[in-house]
Amino acid sequence: MQIMAGYGAVKRSQFCFEFCILLGITGPLQAFVSPAVVCKGQEYLMIEYFIAHGLTIIIPLFMAVCMKFEPRKNSVWKSILLMQAIVTCVYFINIYLGSNYMYLIKKPPIDHPLNVGVWPFYLVKWHLLFYAGAIGIYLIFVCKSILGNKTTDRI
């Protein structure tokens, strides 16, 4: 997500902006609330963790506010479908490598209200949260567009 956000800002990519603003903000926000990082003796990892997740939030917001990017119609559904494809690929890569990227194989080692239940049920809650966040962010832009199109000539 950090690479896509950086590439999108440098190349002014509408697609990268949409994916990062809709899905790249909810994950890092959750990561700030409940970081799943253990860095005893390696504090630079914690610093890098927060810088990377912070930039993943800041870059699409910068593109929206300063560069005047807005998500296009139906971009939220395209972004969710792309994320599902990515998650599916990462899941099979995790199985092949014996890894747990994106915590798709087992729960993260954090104490969090949404981190209850057994696999795969905790994943359903996380996905619903991320996708609800994406739809919420999209609706903010829709409301902004609707309110921006209204004239203020009449009181």
Side-chain angles (χ1 to χ4, degrees), residues 55-75:
L55 287 173
T56 306
I57 295 169
I58 291 170
I59 290 172
L61 290 177
F62 175 83
M63 292 176 74
V65 173
C66 298
M67 299 169 75
K68 306 297 184 207
F69 275 75
E70 291 187 6
R72 296 172 287 198
K73 185 177 180 179
N74 295 321
S75 60

Side-chain angles (χ1 to χ4, degrees), residues 1-154:
M1 196 60 76
Q2 290 95 359
I3 292 170
M4 187 176 273
Y7 178 83
V10 170
K11 293 293 187 177
R12 297 178 183 257
S13 168
Q14 179 70 30
F15 171 76
C16 290
F17 162 75
E18 290 167 349
F19 189 73
C20 291
I21 194 83
L22 297 171
L23 292 169
I25 289 181
T26 54
L29 281 177
Q30 177 275 328
F32 278 122
V33 172
S34 56
V37 177
V38 179
C39 306
K40 294 177 183 160
Q42 298 177 336
E43 286 74 21
Y44 67 92
L45 288 176
M46 185 63 87
I47 294 168
E48 185 275 333
Y49 176 86
F50 283 105
I51 289 173
H53 285 84
L55 287 173
T56 306
I57 295 169
I58 291 170
I59 290 172
L61 290 177
F62 175 83
M63 292 176 74
V65 173
C66 298
M67 299 169 75
K68 306 297 184 207
F69 275 75
E70 291 187 6
R72 296 172 287 198
K73 185 177 180 179
N74 295 321
S75 60
V76 68
W77 309 118
K78 292 174 186 174
S79 295
I80 288 173
L81 285 173
L82 175 61
M83 180 55 91
Q84 278 304 115
I86 291 170
V87 166
T88 302
C89 291
V90 170
Y91 174 76
F92 287 111
I93 291 170
N94 280 338
I95 290 173
Y96 179 75
L97 296 176
S99 58
N100 192 27
Y101 188 69
M102 296 173 72
Y103 300 108
L104 296 175
I105 303 299
K106 59 184 176 184
K107 296 192 304 188
I110 57 172
D111 190 19
H112 193 281
L114 291 173
N115 199 25
V116 293
V118 295
W119 185 89
F121 299 108
Y122 75 95
L123 287 174
V124 173
K125 289 181 252 177
W126 286 109
H127 282 252
L128 290 175
L129 176 70
F130 290 135
Y131 299 150
I135 292 167
I137 291 168
Y138 181 75
L139 290 176
I140 290 171
F141 282 96
V142 169
C143 290
K144 178 186 169 280
S145 177
I146 290 170
L147 294 174
N149 289 337
K150 295 204 180 240
T151 60
T152 56
D153 294 340
R154 291 184 272 167

